Amino acid sequence: MTDRIPLLIDTDPGVDDALALLMAFNDARHEIVGLTIAAGNVGLQHTVRNALKLCEVAGRDDIPVFAGAPAPLLHPSPDAGYVHGQDGFGDVGFPPAARQAEAEHAALAILRLSHEHAGRLVLVALGPLTNVALALKLDPTLPQRIARLVVMGGAVTCHGNITPAAEFNFYFDPEAAHLVLEAFERYDLADWEATIAHGLHHERVAAWLRADSDRARFYDRISEKTRSWSADRRGDHWFAADALAMAFVLAPEGALELAERPLAVELQGAHARGASIVDWRREGGGPDKANILLRYDQARFEALIEAALAAG
């Protein structure tokens, strides 16, 4: 038994997922026991390939990678290739990693690792919640073995980034988000609106990417397209949602303001499908399951990113 905190990351790399993973790779207090991969930002064949490549570049081929859900539970959904590149990593044409994903399905890996690290496992969901929902359907007792669930998803006042009301991860698979968030008695949420409140100035990001490390050089290449897209459409700051969620995972003491409230995921509606509806005034009488990150120490957040990119 190690003193390090076991960390299981469910993800859909994706440029911002890659930054979050580099942050986790660089953290000595946590042991990454696996990466479970879903479709989301781009198709599953790309997200798995990207996870394997990032591990290779970072010298972390010790971390097992498990392929999971290739599509949402019920309804087709658009990906975000227009932001991340059609391959999810900026369309720079890097060669594939030497190794392949494990044979075990991601949902089964989630369940197995929840038993192996029962009561200690931190589960981090950076993408659509399809894999976690599948695991829950196979074994509804999963939440009893998870010490902490951290979710990147939602837009807590319905200022969405894929529709006017919905954030991408919840919109991609609202049914999965509903199943997961209903099943857990409590979870930490880092939403899109917190991301907007913790932007990263493009010039600072460019300075970090000049670090003399393979990780920084690789990340500079794969993120160029999305940073350019962001500069054209969102101004002086770049927004890295998964990186903020990972900061909340790795250094929860950096949270400066939190709010505990009931939250529901909207499954219907022409305008609101995938929206995260927070009962701010607690009018419905539901439990305060969502521990919502409102404000995080910006200097600590940026220091975690800078250190991760500069790591050897």
Side-chain angles (χ1 to χ4, degrees), residues 132-194:
V132 184
L134 290 172
L136 275 166
K137 282 299 183 184
L138 291 169
D139 182 358
T141 69
L142 170 66
Q144 300 170 19
R145 297 184 298 278
I146 302 299
R148 184 185 179 205
L149 170 65
V150 183
V151 175
M152 189 285 121
V156 296
T157 65
C158 294
H159 288 64
N161 66 352
I162 184 68
T163 72
E167 174 274 334
F168 177 84
N169 284 343
F170 283 11
Y171 181 77
F172 186 89
D173 196 343
E175 284 77 18
H178 167 76
L179 288 170
V180 172
L181 301 187
E182 285 295 306
F184 279 79
E185 291 186 1
R186 179 182 172 85
Y187 54 90
D188 291 336
L189 186 76
D191 82 315
W192 175 247
E193 294 176 40

Side-chain angles (χ1 to χ4, degrees), residues 63-74:
I63 299 172
V65 173
F66 305 93
L73 294 179
L74 289 180

